[in-house]
Every structure is written in structure tokens, then in C-alpha cells.
Amino acid sequence: MKLKKTEEIFFKFLMYISVSFITASLFLIVFSIFYKGLPSLSWEMVSETPKGGFYFGKEGGILNAIIGSLYLSIGATILAMLFGIPIALFMNVYLRKYNRFVNGIRFFLDLLWGIPSIVYGAFGFTIMVMLGIKTSLLAGIITVSIFILPIMVRALDEVLKTVPVGLFEASLSLGSTRSETAFRVFLRQTIPGLATAILLSFGRAIGDAASVLFTTGYTDHIPTSIMQPTATLPLAIFFQLGSPIEEVRSRAYSSALILTIIILLISVISRIVSAKYNKHRIKF
Amino acid sequence: MRFLSRKIRDKSSLFWMVISLVILLLMPILLAVGLYLKSLPILQEQSFWDLLTESDWKPMQGKFGFLPFITSSLWVTFLSIIIATPVCILTAIYLTQYAKKRVLAIMQPIIDILAGLPSVIYGVWGVLIVVPFISKTVAPFFGLQTSGYTILAGAIVLSIMVIPFILNILIEVFRTIPEELTEASLSVGATKWETIKYVLLKKAFPGIISATGLGVARAFGETIAVLMVVGNVVKVPTSVFDSGYPLPALIANNYGEMLSIPMYDSALMLAALILFGIVLLFNFLSRMAIIRSEKNQ
């Protein structure tokens, strides 16, 4: 009897260690990025583009990468929404009766979610070479949107699944068409869920480096058209960190801090939105 | 009139929905076919088996042996899974069986933020903390000298990255196990721990295997974070303190400049195809196993 108790205590001890390990990892990561990034974070960093000699430690900032990343992620998210929202609605409004088929699509989406972004990046680059397109914001937007599409559809689908059948039937019985039911009832009913799905995809888009490595290129200027190449934050961090010069490396840390803050902000916003989600919902 | 315009809108939005779905379904097929066509030139010149088992990588001389990259990928992936899985199982048991609701409410955001951090941030953290830790503390402890940019560093960084991923699936798995089962076990006099050990873990076993499989797929394709800490030396690694050069890093490091060397782009596309195939296979098997075990319950 005593042995049994010891065993349980031992494993409970291991559980505490595991939980602390995970918690400590997060705090260690965030803390070390803040600790290293804060000293060289300045107004200049976020408000100016690289000046001459920036990569040797002279003045300038990474505004080009911040704006570039925002353009890229916003563009990719909008493009993904254009396809993603109709797909998710189609699955949950039109295909309601064909459960097997919808589950098949879900399975397929889960598979797509797992494909590494470097594969998309390499594939995107090959297509560009074939068509003779140069690295550009547009190429990046298309590649990233393909890569976040399954994530967005699946996240939206999870929320749309919970819309009660009664609402669907009520809407149809009042004489609305299926597409009106889809866009005016289902989508409105799940606006907070839609917002979190969009934020999730946006977070993925802004943080991914492997898919933009060959498709968007890198430049010190803020792009003025979608056919121009653009810098992105993850690549700015990656390139600056590879520098042998101390000042440039410390800028990499503060760039990492900026990206971390953006990601934390997205997380906080989507948490607030989904907390409200449960308040404004018609329940049956 | 009004009725007609509603009807047109209904039809046109249906049309757009169908088009979107078709594009989505065609995308991976297009991807696979494209990668295959691009890697055909090298496959026609050398046999697939030779490419996989050769360890000579000299693109200038037309020698493309993938063995160093594949073994590096396997080392990093499996090491990271070995670290991550026990931590995830223990945490998932704790959070679903022992912890109060409040603890789970605190842990869920922590897990979500870990899952949302970009891989380049993990890479920076690896360079800042993990690499020096290995070169200054771990390696001297074993009487070795390294720069710290090793397989081990890649595996540690990767394990933290896959933990939230595996953990979220495991929490789901433990939650779907019906409570009557554990209650029945408790009512015949088993202790809480015995119930977990003999009932819960047994029931959850297929789920645990699937979650691990999905973790393997995720870890195998991770690029930037691993590339930043693993050293990138073309050599078949023989210990965790050796530098490695995983497949995704190979593609990421060389893709921009490969056009001038014959067969180089074909070889890199083959690398992408191998990556695609392995990840898809692990995902497929794991998802199938999850569906199977859900049906049995």
C-alpha cells in the first residue's frame, strides 16, 4: 500500500516538473528576448528605414521590414479570406447533409495544415522562375495565403460547426436563400470566431520566414507597388543575427522584440474577442 | 425584380464557393505534381536509392548524396520528440486529471502563446541561451568541446516548439475518454493513480501515438529555428554534439543561388519532395489512427 502511494507521489512530482518546465520555457524565451532587445530598441529603430552603412552598425531602423511584414500579412490574410470564408460556409451550410464528404474535406485540411512552409516557399519560387516573375510582394502574398488558407478554413469551420441546426432551418423557413443564410445568419452569428480565425492566420503569416525567403526578396525601401520586393521582420531578424558586427546583432534582438510584441498583442486581442464570443450568441 | 437579383446573388455566391473549394482541393495535388516534375531530371540520372544512401554532397561535381541531411533530420526530430513526449503526457495528465479548473485556465494561454511564437524567435532564443548553455555547461560536463551549434541544440529548441502542438492534442485525447470508465475503476476500489495507469493511459494509448506522430511531422518540417542553431555542416552526424544539416535547412540555405549549377535545383526540389512525402505520410497515419480510435469509443 505504501509503495503505491510513493509511486503516485513520485509521478505527481514529475508532473509538477513538466508543468513548470513548460511555463518556465515560455518565460525564459520572452524574458531573454526582452532582456537582450530592450537596450537597443529606440524610436529610430521603428521609424526609419536603413541608411547607408546600416549593416555596419550605422544609423537607420527597420521600418522597411515592419511595413513590409504588415503589407504582406494583411494582403495574404485578405486573399485567404476571399477563398477561406466561402469554403467554410459552403462546408457548413450547403454540405450540411453530406457528412462524410465534409469530414473528408476536414481530414484533407488537417493534412494540408501539416505541410512545412519551406515546401510552399520552394514551390512558389519554382513557379515564379517558370513564369519569369521576380521576387515581389505579390509573389509573397500569394505563397503565404496558400500556406495560411487551411489554417483559416479549419479555424472557421470549428466555430461554424457549433451553429445550431434550428437557426439554419429557421432562416430557410423565413424565405431566405441559402447564400443569405450563409452570409447574413451564419457568418454574423460567428463574427467573433471569424475574428479569431483571422487573427490566428495573421499571426502565422507575419511570423513565418521560410515561405517568404525566396518569394518576397529583401530591400531597404518601403515598397510602393505590389510588384516590388519587400523586407519582412523574420528575415530582418535572421539576416542581422548572422552579422559579425555587435551593433547589428543587437539590432536583431530588438527586431525580435518588436515581432514578439506584435505576436503577444495578437494573442491578447484574440483572447479578448473570444471571451466576448460566449456572451453574444443565440443559444437554443 | 428583387426576387431575380436575389436569385442571381444566390447562384453567383454558390459558384464562388465551389470554385474556392476546387482550388483548395487541387492545390496539394498541383504541389506534388510540380515537385515531382522538377525532381525528375535528377531521378532519371541517378537512382532514388543511391541518392538517399550516398553521403557525398558536391553539387559542382554533380554528386548529390542526401544521407547527411536525412540522418541529421532524423536525429534532430527523434531527439526532440523523445524530450517533448514525456513532458506532454505528464502535463496533459496533470491538467486533465488533477489540476483545478483555474490552473488549466492559466496554462491554456501559456500553451497558446508558445504555439504562436514565430520560429525565428525560437531561433534567436536558441542562439542566445541554448547554444552557449551547450558549449559552456553541457559539453564540458562530458569532457567535450563544441561551439554549441549542434544536433542537441536543434533538438532542444525543436522540442519546446512541438510541446504546445502535441500537448493540445493530448489534452483533447484525455478529455474525450468517457468519465464513466474512470469512475467505474474508482468505484471498485482502485486509487486515482491506478485508474490513470491502468484505465486512462490504456484507453488513451492510440491517441498518444497519434499525437506523437503529428509531432514528428511538425518537427521534421521546421526550418528556420533549427537552421539557426544546428551548425549546418555537411556530414553524417555520429553524436548529439556533432553539427548537423537537416533537409529543410538545405533547401533554405541554397535555394536562391542554385540556378547556375546543373541538376542543383532538381536535387533541391527532390529534397522538398522527400520532405513533403514524409510529413504527409506521418500526418496521414496519425490522423487515421485518431479517427479509428474515436470510432471505437
Side-chain angles (χ1 to χ4, degrees):
Chain A
M1 198 59 209
K2 197 131 195 215
L3 202 73
K4 270 189 203 163
K5 203 75 198 150
T6 330
E7 188 185 297
E8 175 160 17
I9 290 170
F10 174 69
F11 275 98
K12 262 188 114 170
F13 176 68
L14 285 185
M15 288 176 204
Y16 287 131
I17 291 185
S18 302
V19 174
S20 331
F21 175 75
I22 294 174
T23 315
S25 306
L26 176 68
F27 283 105
L28 187 62
I29 293 169
V30 174
F31 176 76
S32 55
I33 300 281
F34 267 82
Y35 181 76
K36 277 291 216 173
L38 266 183
S40 48
L41 188 67
S42 61
W43 182 242
E44 195 190 357
M45 272 294 288
V46 296
S47 65
E48 278 176 47
T49 56
K51 299 285 179 303
F54 178 72
Y55 298 102
F56 301 101
K58 297 244 174 64
E59 61 257 34
I62 52 155
L63 185 67
N64 59 329
I66 297 174
I67 300 286
S69 260
L70 287 178
Y71 280 170
L72 179 83
S73 326
I74 291 170
T77 310
I78 290 173
L79 191 60
M81 278 165 70
L82 218 56
F83 292 94
I85 294 174
I87 294 171
L89 286 174
F90 190 55
M91 285 165 64
N92 286 286
V93 178
Y94 285 76
L95 300 176
R96 233 161 209 265
K97 278 191 231 143
Y98 310 95
N99 234 323
R100 281 182 73 99
F101 182 52
V102 174
N103 281 333
I105 298 174
R106 285 189 185 126
F107 183 77
F108 192 75
L109 285 166
D110 286 339
L111 284 187
L112 282 186
W113 191 331
I115 295 173
S117 59
I118 183 83
V119 173
Y120 287 110
F123 181 70
F125 182 69
T126 319
I127 298 287
M128 283 157 58
V129 171
M130 245 156 49
L131 300 177
I133 305 169
K134 291 218 178 71
T135 55
S136 62
L137 186 54
L138 181 67
I141 286 176
I142 293 173
T143 311
V144 173
S145 71
I146 293 173
F147 147 70
I148 61 173
L149 184 60
I151 301 172
M152 180 181 287
V153 177
R154 205 59 183 83
L156 254 178
D157 174 52
E158 281 301 317
V159 208
L160 285 171
K161 253 201 310 205
T162 63
V163 176
V165 193
L167 201 61
F168 173 68
E169 285 161 354
S171 166
L172 285 188
S173 68
L174 288 172
S176 18
T177 63
R178 282 181 180 230
S179 68
E180 281 164 352
T181 309
F183 285 98
R184 298 212 177 140
V185 180
F186 270 62
L187 202 58
R188 187 161 297 176
Q189 176 74 355
T190 52
I191 278 183
L194 174 70
T196 45
I198 290 169
L199 284 170
L200 179 73
S201 320
F202 182 79
R204 276 292 136 81
I206 206 165
D208 192 68
S211 58
V212 294
L213 196 53
F214 318 115
T215 48
T216 55
Y218 200 88
T219 154
D220 286 351
H221 306 288
I222 295 169
T224 49
S225 109
I226 54 169
M227 297 317 287
Q228 289 174 2
T230 180
T232 48
L233 264 176
L235 289 187
I237 299 166
F238 182 60
F239 290 144
Q240 292 180 98
L241 197 67
S243 163
I245 299 159
E246 185 58 43
E247 282 86 27
V248 181
R249 274 212 306 279
S250 66
R251 280 201 196 120
Y253 301 138
S254 53
S255 313
L257 177 58
I258 294 169
L259 182 58
T260 308
I261 290 172
I262 294 177
I263 294 291
L264 290 178
L265 266 180
I266 293 173
S267 168
V268 170
I269 295 171
S270 63
R271 211 150 275 286
I272 293 171
V273 171
S274 63
K276 283 193 174 165
Y277 170 56
N278 295 318
K279 272 192 219 154
H280 306 279
R281 220 170 81 184
I282 302 173
K283 291 193 186 85
F284 275 72
Chain B
M1 232 8 239
R2 199 177 145 75
F3 176 72
L4 199 69
S5 83
R6 275 178 69 198
K7 192 136 198 182
I8 290 169
R9 219 183 300 156
D10 191 40
K11 288 276 176 253
S12 57
S13 57
L14 176 64
F15 177 72
W16 183 242
M17 286 174 179
V18 174
I19 292 283
S20 304
L21 187 62
V22 169
I23 291 177
L24 177 81
L25 296 180
L26 279 180
M27 197 59 73
I29 298 165
L30 211 70
L31 197 69
V33 172
L35 290 177
Y36 178 70
L37 287 179
K38 282 300 255 179
S39 45
L40 257 187
I42 192 161
L43 286 173
Q44 278 166 349
E45 200 155 283
Q46 295 171 51
S47 85
F48 185 54
W49 183 247
D50 283 351
L51 287 168
L52 288 188
T53 51
E54 278 297 321
S55 54
D56 249 0
W57 181 264
K58 291 181 185 115
M60 301 296 261
Q61 298 163 23
K63 283 183 182 160
F64 299 99
F66 282 104
L67 195 64
F69 309 104
I70 291 172
T71 41
S72 294
S73 270
L74 292 177
W75 273 84
V76 174
T77 304
F78 286 109
L79 206 55
S80 71
I81 294 297
I82 288 168
I83 301 170
T85 309
V87 175
C88 289
I89 295 176
L90 286 165
T91 308
I93 292 176
Y94 179 74
L95 291 179
T96 55
Q97 306 302 317
Y98 287 100
K100 294 198 180 76
K101 273 213 167 113
R102 228 187 46 221
V103 180
L104 188 62
I106 297 169
M107 281 306 284
Q108 196 61 57
I110 291 178
I111 300 168
D112 288 348
I113 293 173
L114 267 181
L117 281 180
S119 66
V120 72
I121 299 293
Y122 279 98
V124 171
W125 173 70
V127 171
L128 277 175
I129 308 282
V130 179
V131 169
F133 176 65
I134 287 172
S135 76
K136 290 196 186 114
T137 313
V138 182
F141 181 77
F142 289 99
L144 295 163
Q145 249 191 339
T146 87
S147 61
Y149 291 90
T150 52
I151 296 274
L152 184 61
I156 292 174
V157 171
L158 203 49
S159 68
I160 313 272
M161 291 181 75
V162 293
I163 278 176
F165 187 71
I166 300 178
L167 186 55
N168 269 330
I169 304 169
L170 280 184
I171 290 177
E172 243 355 91
V173 167
F174 284 127
R175 266 201 196 131
T176 51
I177 292 171
E179 244 171 67
E180 298 92 66
L181 274 176
T182 49
E183 272 164 13
S185 163
L186 287 172
S187 70
V188 293
T191 65
K192 179 127 194 167
W193 175 247
E194 281 172 328
T195 306
I196 290 170
K197 204 163 97 179
Y198 297 113
V199 181
L200 194 77
L201 280 180
K202 209 171 158 197
K203 260 286 170 205
F205 186 71
I208 293 173
I209 296 294
S210 309
T212 313
L214 291 173
V216 168
R218 175 52 56 102
F220 208 86
E222 182 44 51
T223 311
I224 297 292
V226 181
L227 178 155
M228 287 164 82
V229 297
V230 86
N232 303 326
V233 175
V234 187
K235 195 183 130 229
V236 177
T238 51
S239 104
V240 293
F241 292 108
D242 277 351
S243 290
Y245 206 153
L247 268 178
L250 168 74
I251 306 170
N253 271 337
N254 299 295
Y255 212 70
E257 66 219 54
M258 89 270 139
L259 290 170
S260 49
I261 305 168
M263 287 291 168
Y264 204 174
D265 75 320
S266 186
L268 291 177
M269 274 312 189
L270 183 62
L273 186 64
I274 295 172
L275 202 61
F276 180 78
I278 291 176
V279 168
L280 219 53
L281 183 72
F282 266 95
N283 265 329
F284 181 78
L285 294 178
S286 313
R287 297 270 178 207
M288 280 311 261
I290 288 184
I291 292 176
R292 227 2 96 77
S293 70
E294 269 171 5
K295 263 186 196 149
N296 287 339
Q297 265 166 28

